[in-house]
Amino acid sequence: MKRRPSFAPIRVTVLAAALLAALPAAAQHPAINLLDANGDLIDPVNGENAAAPFSTRQTCGMCHDYDVITQGYHFQMGWDTVADDFGAAAGRPWSLSNGFLGRWYPFAFRQLAKKVNTHPDQIDLTVYDFVGFSSPARGEPPCGACHPGGGGLEFDRDGNRYDERLAAEPELGDSLDGDYHRSRWDASGVVEADCLICHLAGYDFGARVDQLTSGNYRWAVVAGSRLGTVDGAVRRDQQPTVTYETRRFNADGTITLDMSWPPPDDNCMYCHGRSDVKKRGFSWNDFFNPDIHNQQRISCTACHPAGLDHQIAKGDEPAFTVAPELDGSNRSCAECHMSGYLGAPVPDHSRVRPGHIQTIRCESCHIPQLNRAAANGHEATTGRLEFHTRPREAAQPGDEGLWFPDYERRSDGMIYPVNRFLAVYWGNRDADGLIHPLFLREHEAGWRAFSDQVVDDDEDGHPEVNRPEEILAGLRAFASTLEGNQRFRQVRPVFITSETAYELADDGALVESPLAGTPMEGASEVRFSINHNTAPTRMTLGINGCADCHVSEAHFFKGQQMVDLHGPDGAPVTVSNGLFFGCRPFAFTINSLHQQIVSPYIGPVIILVVFLIVVHYHSYGPKRITFDPYSHEIERFNLAERGVHLFRLIAFVILGITGLILAFNLHLWQDLLFGSAANLHNFHVWAGVVFIVTTVFGALLWFRDAAFEAYDREWVRKMGGYLGHRGEVPAGRFNAGQKMFYWYSAIFGVVMSITGVMLIFKGSFSLATVCITSTFHNLVGFFLIAGVLAHAYLGTVANPGTWRVLVDGSVTREWAEHHHPNWYRALLAEEKVAKHEQERAADHDREQGAGPKEA
């Protein structure tokens, strides 16, 4: 009789699972029996059923809802949406699902076979091959290595378990069914969901891969969990046998495992470490590629939690994702750092412009570099994927190597850090007009036919197809090798690189067409988001000020982003990062002048102006013409003029202070005077509005007085008497210097007003326009400040008491005659005329009054 498994230890599992969920590290799981696929007991200690591989469906499924768990996207990977016509409506009939199990994309490249096929030529990968025989390149594990089982690795597209159905219908192995063609499911078994690959600390990922590549699918969990060793390989027509490590078992045949909830980070890295270092340079627990969160012992599940349904929260990866309904379900930077989750510090962004926070993702500044080589492209030309690394000197992805992210602006208006990955491969334009990517075996056949005509231009040991004559040779070769291929109704080869398709015209000439706007758009490049390996604060962009990004040698704008794996000389073709978020090189060059020329030298220029003022004062002293306030002798400025000047002065002082703080990023003064960057910005904007209004009114009020007269030349020749000239200096209501300042301040004021308004509404303009506008705004502002300083000196210290005219509006006759003789004489003439008119009026009145008396 079969000995029934002991369920006594299992009764506490539900309670234990609840306790395990609260533990941050591994804890002992209650003792359990292992069961095989039939539910029979495995007891290696007593020799009962000791050669059978255990089944997670039966063993773990005794207490955990296996069917619910395996609906999680890690197990399904698109299998729940798989269909032969899934991608037809989108013009990609080779894509069979919305996940990695069925979807084709350049990085993975292999194509899952449709369920229904009419010829072997139509089949690249059956599901059986996908699991263990799908390595796309040398040293690469098969696709099934990073699929934990369940879903499409356990059940076919009709919902049947592969091994059971093939055993019942062996003729399926000779059919063209995409699930069974030339498969050996009856011998290999299926890959059930491997719970231990996530929850068992120390899981042996390499041993699992060895079993999959040997065709020992149902034995993989035994080797991976280290509970036993497996001998024999289905791939070599051997019957695998298990030898369990009896020392791991209790005396009664049960086993107690150190299970972990949440899963240890190292277990996540079994899959995400290998694939993500290639996609984006991501690594964890890495001295050479550190992450500040990892250093604080924050686990993966802190940001990527999951419930009992095992739908693990995920980020928003636009590059061919799976389970799009879960995009953005992970914890964002703001969710943690604005709420203090897990003790996360609330950031102080006082040094950062508010506009930067609104348009630049946190990762763009906080992941300034990666220290593990990533892949930034591959070529499928030879029939095997040949990967290119960044940095180029790295031998393979994952090696130690420093590189800097690419950047792009996405549809939400934010700038993200990415790794731009490019693919070069061949396709065929079928009779439906669609370009179908070729299989790797078809690439290999074509390569053999024309490889002798390809030159290794960059001498890296891998000949590249980059010259027109090489592309032509390849197109002709593929036209020959694809002849008679039963998966196409028309043979018309296409070479795909840099989002461009090259093919032969009817006359045999080489023609090219963009992939943009076609179903193949994005089929030769993938932009992988960079989200991890966050640097310490001292290394983030902006910590040293604006110069971290806004100088010509800074990577953020001027770093080179690869757009073609090979140019005419075989070397990569690159363009500047700025092009991908709206800043053209010439605009950035102008903008960088601010950091390289304006910022370093404008301070000394302003100091020089002050110095010259001091020198002038000590050399010539002030003009000591008595100024009696409230004399009411002559009105110089009326109330409207005084009001406009006063409010313009106040607005300009606020603008000058806030503008200098913004221009030089003086965050300490910002915090001291305004409390926050937002308050500083608001003061600057509202002062700017007042300045614009008063500038317009001032220009209208004083336009006629600012017109130059002939006598102004004499004022200029004598420098207004400010350099020691004694005697009269001609001047109207405004002297020549004041007139020049009127036009100086009016013109610069208009420029500042226009550029200021554009910067207030900068979201309506391209980044290139904003870069140029902000540079001119700052530069003109500096010149305006220097001019106002000189104007203020001449209107106050150099002429004591003069500023009081802006208070009461009146001056003495002596003051007017000395400073503005022409204006004063005009006033005397006007007074004389007015007096004469008054006398005539009085005489007239007397005459009118005398008439009746004489009568």
Side-chain angles (χ1 to χ4, degrees):
M1 292 180 60
K2 294 180 180 179
R3 184 159 62 91
R4 300 302 300 165
S6 172
F7 289 97
I10 307 301
R11 294 171 184 171
V12 297
T13 299
V14 175
L15 176 61
L19 294 174
L20 284 170
L23 297 176
Q28 276 197 342
H29 190 284
I32 59 173
N33 287 111
L34 298 182
L35 306 179
D36 67 10
N38 297 318
D40 296 333
L41 179 71
I42 297 174
D43 183 356
V45 175
N46 298 296
E48 185 174 343
N49 199 20
F54 70 90
S55 161
T56 53
R57 171 179 281 276
Q58 295 290 343
T59 303
C60 303
M62 283 190 294
C63 296
H64 301 280
D65 194 331
Y66 182 93
D67 291 332
V68 169
I69 290 171
T70 53
Q71 290 305 304
Y73 73 88
H74 271 71
F75 305 96
Q76 293 295 321
M77 284 295 169
W79 198 247
D80 48 353
T81 65
V82 72
D84 282 3
D85 60 352
F86 179 87
R92 294 191 176 199
W94 52 88
S95 282
L96 309 184
S97 80
N98 69 352
F100 295 126
L101 192 51
R103 168 180 273 181
W104 176 91
Y105 81 123
F107 190 82
F109 207 83
R110 302 302 299 272
Q111 296 182 41
L112 188 70
K114 292 184 177 181
K115 178 71 172 175
V116 178
N117 303 280
T118 59
H119 194 278
D121 285 348
Q122 298 171 325
I123 299 175
D124 180 26
L125 280 180
T126 63
V127 180
Y128 181 80
D129 289 333
F130 177 95
V131 177
F133 308 106
S134 54
S135 173
R138 296 180 184 88
E140 295 292 314
C143 299
C146 284
H147 288 253
L153 274 62
E154 186 175 4
F155 296 101
D156 68 16
R157 278 169 265 202
D158 295 325
N160 302 298
R161 186 167 158 128
Y162 295 108
D163 52 352
E164 294 175 354
R165 186 174 183 188
L166 187 59
E169 303 176 54
E171 66 276 8
L172 286 174
D174 298 321
S175 73
L176 295 175
D177 186 314
D179 291 335
Y180 293 97
H181 175 68
R182 301 176 63 181
S183 69
R184 300 189 61 188
W185 291 111
D186 51 344
S188 68
V190 299
V191 184
E192 296 178 343
D194 190 344
C195 311
L196 304 181
I197 199 172
C198 292
H199 293 288
L200 181 64
Y203 187 93
D204 191 339
F205 184 71
R208 168 186 166 84
V209 172
D210 288 343
Q211 295 305 309
L212 295 180
T213 56
S214 297
N216 303 343
Y217 294 174
R218 67 188 177 113
W219 285 268
V221 64
V222 176
S225 64
R226 301 179 190 266
L227 295 182
T229 57
V230 180
D231 295 312
V234 171
R235 188 172 191 169
R236 295 192 293 270
D237 296 322
Q238 299 170 339
Q239 175 62 40
T241 58
V242 176
T243 303
Y244 283 100
E245 297 281 351
T246 54
R247 61 186 177 82
R248 302 283 303 273
F249 290 77
N250 301 318
D252 61 354
T254 61
I255 190 166
T256 305
L257 297 173
D258 288 333
M259 299 291 281
S260 178
W261 177 258
D265 292 349
D266 285 343
N267 291 50
C268 301
M269 292 303 104
Y270 291 150
C271 292
H272 290 283
R274 187 181 186 92
S275 62
D276 281 5
V277 74
K278 189 180 298 180
K279 294 177 183 177
R280 56 190 117 246
F282 165 57
S283 63
W284 206 245
N285 294 328
D286 188 345
F287 177 81
F288 294 104
N289 202 28
D291 183 287
I292 191 66
H293 303 94
N294 178 227
Q295 292 174 338
Q296 297 298 317
R297 303 183 65 82
I298 296 175
S299 69
C300 301
T301 54
C303 295
H304 300 277
L308 294 177
D309 60 359
H310 284 60
Q311 291 288 23
I312 300 174
K314 59 190 290 289
D316 185 0
E317 170 60 270
F320 296 92
T321 186
V322 64
E325 69 277 6
L326 295 175
D327 282 354
S329 56
N330 65 316
R331 293 186 184 275
S332 67
C333 303
E335 281 183 275
C336 293
H337 284 280
M338 300 311 292
S339 66
Y341 175 73
L342 292 181
V346 178
D348 174 17
H349 284 132
S350 59
R351 301 186 182 189
V352 183
R353 300 282 178 83
H356 286 39
I357 301 295
Q358 296 162 7
T359 58
I360 302 176
R361 287 280 295 195
C362 306
E363 299 92 329
S364 294
C365 294
H366 289 273
I367 310 176
Q369 65 184 48
L370 284 303
N371 299 291
R372 287 290 178 186
N376 67 340
H378 69 51
E379 297 173 86
T381 307
T382 64
R384 300 289 287 181
L385 298 186
E386 300 287 348
F387 284 92
H388 295 256
T389 59
R390 57 183 310 181
R392 288 175 63 83
E393 57 269 18
Q396 61 184 359
D399 286 353
E400 186 181 349
L402 172 65
W403 59 279
F404 302 93
D406 302 325
Y407 298 97
E408 67 171 2
R409 188 187 298 276
R410 295 184 182 161
S411 57
D412 61 1
M414 300 287 284
I415 296 173
Y416 290 75
V418 297
N419 176 35
R420 185 187 182 97
F421 180 92
L422 304 178
V424 176
Y425 57 95
W426 298 84
N428 183 71
R429 192 181 295 278
D430 207 352
D432 56 9
L434 299 176
I435 300 174
H436 296 246
L438 296 185
F439 299 156
L440 285 177
R441 67 170 184 265
E442 294 165 341
H443 278 83
E444 186 178 9
W447 175 249
R448 287 198 299 266
F450 83 107
S451 60
D452 59 342
Q453 301 176 60
V454 180
V455 178
D456 184 6
D457 291 303
D458 58 1
E459 299 181 348
D460 65 348
H462 301 285
E464 62 282 332
V465 178
N466 61 309
R467 301 181 181 184
E469 60 269 24
E470 294 172 339
I471 298 174
L472 282 169
L475 292 172
R476 292 169 183 145
F478 279 100
S480 174
T481 59
L482 290 175
E483 189 66 36
N485 190 307
Q486 295 299 302
R487 78 183 184 106
F488 301 122
R489 289 177 293 155
Q490 167 185 290
V491 174
R492 189 171 180 176
V494 180
F495 179 64
I496 298 170
T497 181
S498 302
E499 289 298 276
T500 303
Y502 296 86
E503 51 195 311
L504 293 174
D506 293 337
D507 61 0
L510 183 66
V511 295
E512 60 181 90
S513 58
L515 297 182
T518 74
M520 287 293 283
E521 182 173 4
S524 70
E525 67 174 39
V526 184
R527 299 176 187 178
F528 293 109
S529 297
I530 295 175
N531 314 100
H532 301 88
N533 298 112
T534 307
T537 301
R538 67 180 183 278
M539 296 175 60
T540 58
L541 294 180
I543 195 66
N544 300 311
C546 305
D548 279 358
C549 297
H550 291 275
V551 293
S552 58
E553 63 271 18
H555 175 77
F556 192 86
F557 284 92
K558 295 298 286 292
Q560 295 299 296
Q561 189 168 155
M562 188 170 67
V563 296
D564 197 336
L565 285 177
H566 303 291
D569 60 353
V573 178
T574 62
V575 299
S576 64
N577 271 322
L579 285 174
F580 292 90
F581 47 83
C583 189
R584 297 188 175 277
F586 79 93
F588 177 72
T589 299
I590 292 174
N591 181 253
S592 64
L593 294 176
H594 183 283
Q595 295 299 322
Q596 294 174 295
I597 298 177
V598 176
S599 289
Y601 300 114
I602 201 65
V605 168
I606 293 177
I607 293 173
L608 177 62
V609 171
V610 175
F611 175 74
L612 292 176
I613 289 173
V614 174
V615 169
H616 178 273
Y617 184 82
H618 283 280
S619 298
Y620 300 101
K623 293 183 177 181
R624 299 194 178 278
I625 302 300
T626 303
F627 180 88
D628 295 326
Y630 306 110
S631 65
H632 301 298
E633 292 186 26
I634 298 176
E635 184 181 63
R636 177 153 176 78
F637 295 120
N638 60 35
L639 181 60
E641 291 176 310
R642 299 199 305 272
V644 166
H645 188 280
L646 176 62
F647 282 103
R648 191 180 189 214
L649 173 63
I650 294 172
F652 184 82
V653 170
I654 296 174
L655 286 172
I657 294 172
T658 56
L660 288 172
I661 292 173
L662 288 168
F664 294 104
N665 201 25
L666 306 174
H667 59 93
L668 294 178
W669 285 103
Q670 166 194 287
D671 296 341
L672 178 64
L673 298 178
F674 301 97
S676 70
N679 289 340
L680 173 68
H681 178 264
N682 290 335
F683 267 94
H684 194 74
V685 168
W686 287 111
V689 172
V690 175
F691 180 78
I692 292 172
V693 173
T694 52
T695 294
V696 172
F697 274 99
L700 295 175
L701 285 171
W702 299 310
F703 179 77
R704 295 185 63 180
D705 295 315
F708 287 99
E709 303 290 348
Y711 55 74
D712 288 320
R713 295 194 186 94
E714 182 69 12
W715 189 97
V716 173
R717 189 180 67 82
K718 296 177 179 179
M719 297 301 293
Y722 288 110
L723 297 183
H725 175 77
R726 301 296 179 182
E728 182 179 290
V729 180
R733 188 181 185 216
F734 287 170
N735 62 41
Q738 291 169 327
K739 291 177 181 180
M740 286 188 283
F741 181 76
Y742 168 89
W743 292 107
Y744 180 91
S745 64
I747 293 171
F748 279 11
V750 169
V751 172
M752 292 295 289
S753 299
I754 293 173
T755 55
V757 170
M758 291 177 67
L759 292 175
I760 291 174
F761 300 102
K762 60 185 177 183
S764 303
F765 300 94
S766 69
L767 183 56
T769 300
V770 172
C771 285
I772 295 173
T773 301
S774 62
T775 301
F776 278 102
H777 186 77
N778 289 343
L779 187 60
V780 171
F782 292 140
F783 280 109
L784 197 53
I785 289 173
V788 170
L789 285 175
H791 176 70
Y793 164 70
L794 296 176
T796 56
V797 178
N799 293 281
T802 303
W803 68 273
R804 291 298 300 267
V805 72
L806 297 171
V807 178
D808 67 1
S810 61
V811 296
T812 63
R813 293 180 177 274
E814 181 185 5
W815 187 95
E817 183 177 14
H818 179 81
H819 287 286
H820 300 273
N822 297 66
W823 174 59
Y824 180 64
R825 285 193 287 269
L827 287 177
L828 289 179
E830 289 177 8
E831 289 178 352
K832 186 175 181 180
V833 170
K835 184 177 181 180
H836 180 67
E837 291 295 328
Q838 290 176 356
E839 290 175 348
R840 288 185 59 188
D843 291 344
H844 178 71
D845 290 341
R846 285 194 296 271
E847 291 174 359
Q848 290 294 329
K853 292 179 181 178
E854 293 176 358

